[in-house]
Amino acid sequence: MAAGAEETGPARVSETDRIKAFSDGVFAIVITLLVLELRVPEYHKGGLLEGLRHEGASYLAFAVSFAYIGVIWLNHHALLRLIRGTALALNWINLAILFGAVIIPFPTAVLASAFTHGDAADQRAAVALYALAAALMSAPWLAFFAYLHRHPALRAAEVDPDHVRAQRARPLTGLVLYGLSGLLGWFVNPVLGLILIIVMIAYHAVTSEGLRAGPLGRLWGRRRG
Amino acid sequence: MAAGAEETGPARVSETDRIKAFSDGVFAIVITLLVLELRVPEYHKGGLLEGLRHEGASYLAFAVSFAYIGVIWLNHHALLRLIRGTALALNWINLAILFGAVIIPFPTAVLASAFTHGDAADQRAAVALYALAAALMSAPWLAFFAYLHRHPALRAAEVDPDHVRAQRARPLTGLVLYGLSGLLGWFVNPVLGLILIIVMIAYHAVTSEGLRAGPLGRLWGRRRG
Amino acid sequence: MAAGAEETGPARVSETDRIKAFSDGVFAIVITLLVLELRVPEYHKGGLLEGLRHEGASYLAFAVSFAYIGVIWLNHHALLRLIRGTALALNWINLAILFGAVIIPFPTAVLASAFTHGDAADQRAAVALYALAAALMSAPWLAFFAYLHRHPALRAAEVDPDHVRAQRARPLTGLVLYGLSGLLGWFVNPVLGLILIIVMIAYHAVTSEGLRAGPLGRLWGRRRG
Amino acid sequence: MAAGAEETGPARVSETDRIKAFSDGVFAIVITLLVLELRVPEYHKGGLLEGLRHEGASYLAFAVSFAYIGVIWLNHHALLRLIRGTALALNWINLAILFGAVIIPFPTAVLASAFTHGDAADQRAAVALYALAAALMSAPWLAFFAYLHRHPALRAAEVDPDHVRAQRARPLTGLVLYGLSGLLGWFVNPVLGLILIIVMIAYHAVTSEGLRAGPLGRLWGRRRG
């Protein structure tokens, strides 16, 4: 199990495996912790149903954030398929990606609270916070692709440099458009901002296996084992 | 570790492994998070025992939901043995299955609260909510079997198409009978509805390794390693 | 990855692996969730240190339960080394073992609360509850050894039947002596009961790798990889 | 999967694998649980943004502790690469290391609370508590290196005894300087103490792959798979 001095072999595989296992653990926990924000409402005898109905925004926020973390997990999944080894800097970039995922329950709870108990100003603040978190979360993905581009030795054998370069478009889009969602939610209308956030999550869902870059489409094709 | 261009080999196995690991992580977390609903009751000096006794419904709700998630885990276990590869759509169906498992602590807490602090109307609402969650949870299982039926290339080599078809009966039964439990709990008697829910959980426990489909019984026989 | 029809090979190993992974996940989560019971005390400006000191019982309860779950994990570790395959009944016995581990944060929180805010009656109730939970937790371990004894095909190749039989002594001791701790704590003195509980945890720590059964000592010897 | 009587082979590897998996699970959970300390602030309609701003200390405490646990994980990562097998004593030393990681959310919450709601005395107490936890946490690392030094059979084949000896310097530095941070925070200024804590975390981040010990630098070089 110890790292061998040689560059190849089972030890190397084990090393990326441990990053995968740790990351998957974090994603699994954070997607599950979301449920802790669904609280039994305060109610008087006979008022439970009414109380539950009042919490509608919490359920929506829960569902959106569940899908969002699912999307991040699938994207991360595809991300780690690009590498065959790791390095200290890459470990830290990965921790920054996980940081972005781990905080999601917090803006989710703020969002649910603002749409349940707050007024329009609170909703604007909550949508802007969610969008800000999502935008900042895109930055370490950019760093990951940039690092991988500069260190070809870490790239998995089958991965085309052009493919790695092409992927930068997605976190850049995320950075810009999540930022825009926040501005939209803050200056125009919180519900519009929220809708753009949901559209962006759907965009990342659809492209989770990577943007096609010509000849590489084959590799990212439908069936994988 | 990177996905190979070829359809077989270790990369494929690793891919389904990562879904298994992620799913197992989610199940392990959600079955453990249930304990957070067991709270030390409010009590005055000398009143702890009395306070604990008053929380009886919480303990029952905890035990039922623990068994329920255990059942889902065993079923999911058997489910993933049917596939030899995955695809983006299957990943999303799997996430929908996990969504169903992840929310369980919430209707559990509502149920415990209604039977501890609520009246008959609250109990009806809580049983209906639990049943509704359980019924909806059956839908992605149906989708999984349907998808696998239409994409035979993803089926594990030893798995008989008839076996996959036969399994659809279980989530269908779940959808119908959990729905019925909710109606029973809402319109007739919450305790009756709850009993039917428990019967359904026991049904899924007993059939967790799949309904026998003739020649396939051998494969699903008792001993497995 | 699908289960093969044959009795040996990688599929078998993968099957017990998934139980190990799920169990380890549960242990890892429950040992970590304990920290959630350590709450920042209520305090007025300048009173934080005093507030923290007042929570001494919580820290002790946390440390004891952390060690307890660590002990259970090590014991479980050794337990799963005894098997080479699994079966539906064994899966359920394992879930019952996990159930015992998962509830620990609850009696821990009750114990901490009773020794911080309660009187002698509350402490008696809390110690009795902790001991009851620990005693009941021993039952599925007995069932595990009994099942394995009756189904030799599931035993790992190197494991001596006498060794399996010898292990039954430990959960039996647990059942009896944890029960006794509860009676001692309830009828005589809660602190005495608590001390006996701690002694029992230490006993299980020391014997976690299994009681020596003559010729098998070699197998359970010190170094293992 | 059962432990073989022989000293080498897959069983050995599986044994250290299970410790890795358990430890990674604990790290993944505790780094994610930190988010539970980020609570939606109490606010009146229209006051959400103001309320969020008031919680600035919580965000900082969250970020510092996230980085801290990330650092511990990377260090632990490198630690387990040093061994090829385990032993009961080593398992307990590892549990003590995990204990140190698991408690971090508690001093983090105390720190956040003191800098949000407390006065200078509370801040001194909170910084001293955080530093004390960090200092004590270094002790089992020392024990790990000492144990490994005395039991060369557990060392991974490629690991130089001098390397193991050289590593003791890090937890010793931690023990002394985290202790000093606490004294500084308590007797001089809480912010100064906090800054020294952050410097120490950065030190452990930079040296996470082990201090170079001459000829071994090659082994710990940049690229690893």
Side-chain angles (χ1 to χ4, degrees), chain B residues 11 16-17 35-36 48 54 57 62 73 85 104 107 121 138 145 151 162-164 172 181-182 184 186 189 205 212 216:
Chain B
T16 36
D17 272 2
V35 76
L36 295 182
L48 176 59
H54 189 60
F62 171 74
W73 177 64
I104 291 178
S138 302
F145 291 123
H151 297 83
D162 291 340
H163 178 74
V164 174
L172 261 181
S181 313
L184 198 65
W186 181 260
N189 185 305
R212 303 301 182 274
L216 211 59

Side-chain angles (χ1 to χ4, degrees), chain C residues 6-197:
Chain C
E6 64 276 13
E7 305 282 22
T8 53
R12 282 241 335 279
V13 167
S14 145
E15 200 61 15
T16 36
D17 272 2
R18 215 178 157 193
I19 287 183
K20 281 179 191 178
F22 181 73
S23 305
D24 279 357
V26 168
F27 288 125
I29 296 152
V30 77
I31 212 170
T32 313
L33 282 186
L34 286 169
V35 75
L36 296 182
E37 299 301 335
L38 298 182
R39 302 255 167 78
V40 181
E42 304 279 325
Y43 64 98
H44 297 289
K45 273 188 200 300
L48 176 58
L49 188 61
E50 185 51 37
L52 288 171
R53 269 192 199 131
H54 190 60
E55 302 282 322
S58 289
Y59 311 146
L60 185 64
F62 171 74
V64 169
S65 290
F66 187 96
Y68 190 14
I69 297 174
V71 166
I72 299 174
W73 176 64
L74 285 174
N75 275 276
H76 191 263
H77 214 121
L79 189 73
L80 290 194
R81 271 202 305 265
L82 300 178
I83 62 169
R84 58 196 280 254
T86 187
L88 186 54
L90 216 56
N91 276 339
W92 276 104
I93 292 172
N94 190 52
L95 277 171
I97 289 175
L98 296 181
F99 183 89
V102 157
I103 56 170
I104 290 178
F106 176 61
T108 301
V110 170
L111 204 60
S113 167
F115 279 84
T116 311
H117 306 295
D119 65 6
D122 296 330
Q123 294 170 10
R124 287 206 314 266
V127 169
L129 177 71
Y130 201 104
L132 183 71
L136 291 182
M137 201 184 303
S138 302
W141 292 78
L142 263 181
F144 195 102
F145 290 124
Y147 189 89
L148 198 54
H149 187 70
R150 284 204 312 272
H151 297 83
L154 295 175
R155 267 208 315 270
E158 317 83 352
V159 174
D160 183 339
D162 291 340
H163 179 74
V164 175
R165 206 178 301 118
Q167 300 318 309
R168 297 196 201 179
R170 286 186 302 141
L172 261 181
T173 314
L175 197 60
V176 171
L177 287 189
Y178 279 124
L180 205 66
S181 312
L183 294 174
L184 198 66
W186 180 259
F187 288 111
V188 184
N189 185 305
V191 175
L192 280 186
L194 201 51
I195 289 171
L196 184 51
I197 288 173

Side-chain angles (χ1 to χ4, degrees), chain A residues 95-133:
Chain A
L95 277 169
I97 289 175
L98 296 180
F99 183 87
V102 156
I103 55 170
I104 290 177
F106 176 60
T108 302
V110 170
L111 203 61
S113 167
F115 279 84
T116 311
H117 306 295
D119 65 5
D122 296 330
Q123 294 169 10
R124 287 206 313 267
V127 170
L129 178 72
Y130 201 104
L132 182 71

Side-chain angles (χ1 to χ4, degrees), chain A residues 4-96:
Chain A
E6 64 276 13
E7 306 281 22
T8 54
R12 283 238 337 275
V13 167
S14 146
E15 200 62 15
T16 36
D17 272 2
R18 214 179 157 191
I19 288 183
K20 281 179 191 176
F22 181 72
S23 305
D24 278 357
V26 168
F27 288 126
I29 296 152
V30 78
I31 211 170
T32 313
L33 282 186
L34 286 170
V35 76
L36 295 181
E37 299 301 334
L38 298 182
R39 301 256 167 76
V40 182
E42 303 278 325
Y43 64 98
H44 296 290
K45 272 188 200 304
L48 177 58
L49 188 60
E50 185 52 35
L52 288 170
R53 270 191 200 132
H54 190 60
E55 303 281 323
S58 289
Y59 311 147
L60 185 64
F62 171 75
V64 168
S65 291
F66 187 96
Y68 190 12
I69 297 174
V71 165
I72 299 174
W73 176 64
L74 285 173
N75 276 277
H76 192 263
H77 215 121
L79 189 72
L80 290 194
R81 271 203 304 266
L82 300 178
I83 63 170
R84 60 196 277 255
T86 186
L88 186 54
L90 216 56
N91 277 339
W92 276 104
I93 293 172
N94 190 52
L95 277 169

Side-chain angles (χ1 to χ4, degrees), chain C residues 13 16-17 19-21 23-25 27-36 38-41 43-49 52 59 62-63 66-71 73-74 76-78 80-84 156-159 205-206 208-209 218-220 222-225, chain D residues 1-7 10-16 18-19 21-22 25-26 29-30 33 36-37 39 84-89 91-92 94-96 98-100 102-106 109-110 113-119 121-123 125-126 129 147 151 153-154 186:
Chain C
V13 167
T16 36
D17 272 2
I19 287 183
K20 281 179 191 178
S23 305
D24 279 357
F27 288 125
I29 296 152
V30 77
I31 212 170
T32 313
L33 282 186
L34 286 169
V35 75
L36 296 182
L38 298 182
R39 302 255 167 78
V40 181
Y43 64 98
H44 297 289
K45 273 188 200 300
L48 176 58
L49 188 61
L52 288 171
Y59 311 146
F62 171 74
F66 187 96
Y68 190 14
I69 297 174
V71 166
W73 176 64
L74 285 174
H76 191 263
H77 214 121
L80 290 194
R81 271 202 305 265
L82 300 178
I83 62 169
R84 58 196 280 254
E158 317 83 352
V159 174
V206 170
S208 70
E209 309 238 304
R218 213 174 40 250
L219 180 62
W220 300 104
R222 194 173 202 178
R223 182 149 81 80
R224 208 154 345 89
Chain D
M1 274 293 102
E6 64 276 13
E7 305 282 20
R12 283 240 336 278
V13 167
S14 145
E15 200 63 15
T16 36
R18 213 178 159 194
I19 287 183
F22 181 72
V26 168
I29 296 152
V30 77
L33 282 186
L36 296 182
E37 299 302 334
R39 301 256 166 77
R84 58 195 280 255
T86 186
L88 186 53
N91 277 338
W92 276 105
N94 190 52
L95 277 170
L98 296 180
F99 183 87
V102 157
I103 56 171
I104 290 177
F106 176 60
V110 169
S113 167
F115 279 84
T116 312
H117 307 294
D119 66 6
D122 297 330
Q123 294 169 9
L129 178 71
Y147 190 88
H151 297 83
L154 294 176
W186 180 259

